[in-house]
Amino acid sequence: MKNIRNFCIIAHIDHGKSTLADRLLDATGTVTDREKQDQLLDSMDLERERGITIKSHAIQMDYVHNGEKYILNLIDTPGHVDFSYEVSRSIAACEGALLIVDAAQSIQAQTISNLYLALENDLEIIPVLNKVDLPSANPEEVTDDIVDLLGCKPEEVIPASAKTGLGINEILTAIIERIPPPKGNPEESLQALIFDSVFNPFRGVETYFRVLNGEIKKGQHIKFMATGKSYYADEVGTLKLKQQPKDVIKTGDVGYLITGIKEAKEVKVGDTITDSKNPTVNMIEGFEDVKPMVFAGIYPVDTEDYEELRNSMEKLQLNDASLVFAPESSAALGFGFRCGFLGMLHLEIIQERLEREFDMTVITTVPNVSYHAYTNKEPEVAVLVNNPSDLPDPSKLNRVEEPYIKATIITKSDFVGSVMSLCIEKRGEITNQTYLTTERVELTFDMPLAEIVFDFYDRLKTVSKGYASFDYSPIGMRTSHLVKVDVLLNGNTVDALSALLHRDNAYDIGKKMCEKLRELIPRQQFDIPIQAAIGAKIIARETVKALRKDVTAKCYGGDISRKRKLLEKQKKGKKRMRQVGNVEIPQEAFMAVLKLND
């Protein structure tokens, strides 16, 4: 056990985590030349296309140091703020972390928030200064920043370049010398923490775990404590590039387990595995409960696929425990699910994965956040409003509270003005402004979460020319003056397009929504009025004009009354058609509402 090291890699997005993981795998001879490829651990097509890590990946390496054999378990983590839950799970399974900072970009918002996560779990931090070979690198200045942040000595910061392989051996030595071996009692009954799982269509659910006490053997009768169900361990093994079956996984090690479970619901990430004959008394404290930030409805295009969509979502939830969903129905779209996501990128990725991995074509409604509504009833009870249609009747409504976040933005001092005006436009209040260096400023805002759901991240990157990094944490609910804006098509409310907006923005956004829908809804044989309304009051209107046949074409010359008669007849037909006609809304219309500023 003293020769096992469990560690993860944490950093801001694009600071070179996956490339460094590649170099560590090369240096320890874990991959052959034939298996080598860039970003080897990013196994999903989506990750490769976008160049981001979405899932944390575990892999085991063997390394000989001073004549002794060591087992290194590495977990590569995502850097994007939307996947911070993945990071918290990886950290729970480790004793140490490599904190990577880009020598050209210095410390960013996500670096700091991931570092705090690691420190809360008492991890040993090894600071690595990556990309020192870049012409724009500033090693001395960035080393000083790291020393200020961590309170370590300058010589403890390892300069490295994941591209050229500089400093890799020093990193491996530091992992062995600085990170403590796992603690645990091999004599106690089995106690293992599940930190991830995937669904294999041929073998059922594969569970990834870290053994804290005891050991797990092939064929052992084990029990999952959260569900209370018992299974036989058909296969246990370690996670090399391919799975390697073993007879036993001992204390402190990381491995996988296959029990032939076919039901995705039976495995919960954060659960404890124990021996069913001699169970452990205490469950391991799992990770904190995930708090979804953004809610959207996901509906199958064909209502018959509802059950299939449920199965796909359950399998996806195995692999991405931060997805939360519950069934709901909509008048416009039929049966579907109300899903909670950690942010807009997370929503986009889930939608892509449903389509690619499970062949499900889905319709996503306008994302929103969850509000608390208080009615005039005594005593006060908060009604949870996840969907604008759940909002109580305005005559009974006392107040509505919306979630606020503390947003931390680190940017160059040249862009402070434009970042501030963007945040103030989004109803943010500045609470703090600190100059980290003469060039870099940390701004802290209290902002409504609803305002950052839509296009905030994209616009922040635009106004700061890509130099702003953004991180947020929830700070509770505050009272706001919110109104429900409905969209009416041909006089009928489309519940999937309703939105809860701040009164000051309602008119502008209502108008923009109507204009956007007018471009997207195809023309019919009759006029389609598109209206935005607050209650019974119409605040904006656009009309999609009818396609018309020229009925007077055959009347050349002649009396005007003949033409009038034909036109009147056509008008009556159009009116009747408008009463019976219904309007199909294309899928782009639901998504276009998000991009109102384009």
Side-chain angles (χ1 to χ4, degrees):
M1 200 165 96
K2 67 179 196 315
N3 288 7
I4 295 176
R5 299 287 181 275
N6 298 319
F7 68 100
C8 59
I9 301 184
I10 54 178
H12 188 76
I13 190 166
D14 264 350
H15 280 201
K17 293 178 295 303
S18 300
T19 316
L20 186 80
D22 291 349
R23 291 297 81 75
L24 292 173
L25 295 175
D26 291 349
T28 53
T30 309
V31 286
T32 60
D33 285 346
R34 213 178 104 204
E35 292 167 325
K36 255 185 218 171
Q37 52 173 335
D38 285 346
Q39 276 91 35
L40 185 72
L41 293 181
D42 293 350
S43 51
M44 231 186 282
D45 294 347
L46 256 179
E47 294 179 310
R48 297 193 155 279
E49 280 166 29
R50 293 177 178 236
I52 57 176
T53 305
I54 294 168
K55 285 289 305 159
S56 40
H57 296 274
I59 190 162
Q60 191 175 82
M61 306 179 281
D62 297 323
Y63 185 61
V64 178
H65 177 68
N66 296 345
E68 267 198 77
K69 274 183 100 175
Y70 286 89
I71 292 174
L72 310 179
N73 287 313
L74 152 72
I75 302 180
D76 179 29
T77 62
H80 199 283
V81 60
D82 279 15
F83 304 113
S84 53
Y85 187 66
E86 285 286 327
V87 182
S88 76
R89 286 158 43 187
S90 310
I91 285 173
C94 295
E95 275 86 30
L98 294 181
L99 179 76
I100 296 181
V101 180
D102 185 330
Q105 291 183 41
S106 190
I107 290 164
Q108 301 286 338
Q110 206 52 35
T111 319
I112 296 173
S113 76
N114 284 344
L115 171 69
Y116 286 155
L117 264 178
L119 290 174
E120 274 171 30
N121 285 308
D122 296 336
L123 263 61
E124 180 64 41
I125 308 288
I126 300 176
V128 176
L129 185 62
N130 196 14
K131 304 193 188 181
V132 289
D133 59 320
L134 287 183
S136 58
N138 242 343
E140 293 82 11
E141 199 180 300
V142 180
T143 304
D144 292 344
D145 289 352
I146 297 174
V147 170
D148 287 349
L149 180 71
L150 282 175
C152 60
K153 298 190 182 80
E155 55 273 17
E156 286 177 15
V157 180
I158 305 172
S161 163
K163 196 179 245 172
T164 60
L166 171 79
I168 297 301
N169 289 331
E170 288 82 348
I171 292 174
L172 285 164
T173 308
I175 289 168
I176 288 167
E177 289 174 358
R178 294 197 217 167
I179 294 177
K183 297 180 181 67
N185 186 346
E187 305 304 316
E188 276 187 29
S189 56
L190 169 68
Q191 191 186 32
L193 170 76
I194 300 177
F195 66 87
D196 203 357
S197 51
V198 288
F199 188 82
N200 180 329
F202 306 107
R203 312 199 61 182
V205 179
E206 297 174 0
T207 311
Y208 300 156
F209 62 87
R210 149 87 200 266
V211 183
L212 296 187
N213 291 314
E215 57 185 31
I216 182 166
K217 295 191 181 76
K218 185 180 174 178
Q220 186 176 350
H221 198 203
I222 53 159
K223 179 176 167 190
F224 286 20
M225 291 183 81
T227 55
K229 298 199 171 181
S230 299
Y231 308 94
Y232 284 99
D234 295 342
E235 186 182 306
V236 294
T238 51
L239 296 151
K240 291 285 174 71
L241 196 56
K242 305 257 187 319
Q243 294 173 340
Q244 284 203 338
K246 292 268 173 77
D247 288 333
V248 61
I249 303 281
K250 297 199 157 90
T251 315
D253 213 347
V254 172
Y256 72 93
L257 160 75
I258 295 175
T259 50
I261 300 174
K262 288 283 187 278
E263 281 290 313
K265 289 196 286 280
E266 293 178 23
V267 178
K268 293 210 170 23
V269 168
D271 190 5
T272 307
I273 306 175
T274 186
D275 187 61
S276 70
K277 295 189 187 72
N278 179 14
T280 177
V281 196
N282 39 0
M283 277 180 77
I284 304 165
E285 288 296 314
F287 337 101
E288 64 206 68
D289 269 351
V290 54
K291 299 182 197 71
M293 293 285 183
V294 177
F295 294 86
I298 288 188
Y299 293 85
V301 172
D302 190 347
T303 327
E304 290 167 5
D305 298 339
Y306 175 71
E307 278 305 319
E308 208 175 313
L309 179 63
R310 181 199 292 275
N311 293 337
S312 307
M313 299 270 264
E314 280 174 359
K315 287 172 189 169
L316 197 54
Q317 197 177 29
L318 267 182
N319 197 232
D320 182 350
S322 49
L323 170 69
V324 181
F325 63 92
E328 74 161 2
S329 63
S330 142
L333 301 169
F335 290 105
F337 296 95
R338 184 98 199 134
C339 305
F341 307 94
L342 296 180
M344 288 301 287
L345 177 69
H346 190 205
L347 181 148
E348 224 174 286
I349 297 291
I350 293 286
Q351 198 179 341
E352 281 268 316
R353 287 185 70 184
L354 278 171
E355 289 184 6
R356 290 186 183 204
E357 294 172 27
F358 303 100
D359 293 333
M360 295 296 311
T361 34
V362 292
I363 293 175
T364 315
T365 64
V366 183
N368 60 3
V369 299
S370 100
Y371 301 91
H372 285 174
Y374 290 91
T375 52
N376 293 324
K377 262 195 196 157
E378 293 290 336
E380 271 198 336
V381 180
V383 181
L384 192 66
V385 181
N386 280 337
N387 199 340
S389 53
D390 302 342
L391 193 72
D393 191 272
S395 57
K396 297 177 185 154
L397 202 58
N398 180 347
R399 65 181 194 282
V400 179
E401 292 184 351
E402 65 176 332
Y404 263 68
I405 54 157
K406 177 180 171 219
T408 309
I409 296 169
I410 297 181
T411 183
K412 279 192 157 179
S413 46
D414 315 1
F415 306 117
V416 170
S418 45
V419 169
M420 271 193 186
S421 53
L422 169 67
C423 292
I424 288 163
E425 178 199 327
K426 296 279 188 187
R427 299 194 283 134
E429 296 159 19
I430 186 155
T431 54
N432 198 357
Q433 178 177 358
T434 326
Y435 276 79
L436 301 170
T437 64
T438 50
E439 282 288 294
R440 294 169 62 246
V441 190
E442 181 181 26
L443 301 168
T444 315
F445 289 90
D446 285 357
M447 291 174 74
L449 178 63
E451 294 290 341
I452 67 157
V453 163
F454 291 130
D455 54 356
F456 178 76
Y457 200 65
D458 301 344
R459 286 185 60 198
L460 178 67
K461 286 289 181 210
T462 312
V463 298
S464 64
K465 302 203 168 99
Y467 276 109
S469 64
F470 169 69
D471 185 44
Y472 61 84
S473 55
I475 52 173
M477 311 293 281
R478 296 189 187 173
T479 305
S480 283
H481 197 140
L482 299 169
V483 288
K484 180 179 162 203
V485 176
D486 288 315
V487 173
L488 289 86
L489 274 188
N490 202 8
N492 303 322
T493 309
V494 182
D495 56 356
L497 287 174
S498 298
L500 274 177
L501 304 170
H502 195 266
R503 170 142 270 166
D504 302 347
N505 304 345
Y507 286 89
D508 290 345
I509 294 181
K511 187 157 176 44
K512 280 183 183 163
M513 274 164 97
C514 290
E515 285 166 1
K516 201 83 175 176
L517 287 169
R518 191 188 70 193
E519 294 164 20
L520 290 166
I521 287 175
R523 289 171 71 185
Q524 310 277 346
Q525 294 284 324
F526 52 93
D527 278 4
I528 308 168
I530 304 169
Q531 296 161 312
I534 298 175
K537 184 181 175 193
I538 303 291
I539 56 170
R541 171 182 169 133
E542 296 286 332
T543 309
V544 179
K545 283 303 200 190
L547 293 166
R548 302 186 62 159
K549 181 180 168 190
D550 188 357
V551 287
T552 59
K554 59 182 183 287
C555 300
Y556 43 90
D559 190 18
I560 183 68
S561 58
R562 280 190 67 197
K563 293 183 181 175
R564 179 71 26 250
K565 179 180 153 195
L566 288 167
L567 287 167
E568 285 295 329
K569 190 175 171 191
Q570 184 187 32
K571 193 168 152 193
K572 268 189 195 152
K574 295 275 182 218
K575 191 175 171 190
R576 193 165 79 245
M577 198 186 278
R578 196 180 130 188
Q579 284 164 355
V580 295
N582 67 355
V583 184
E584 289 285 313
I585 308 172
Q587 160 71 15
E588 300 87 74
F590 292 109
M591 294 318 283
V593 182
L594 312 182
K595 302 187 175 76
L596 291 177
N597 283 357
D598 293 3

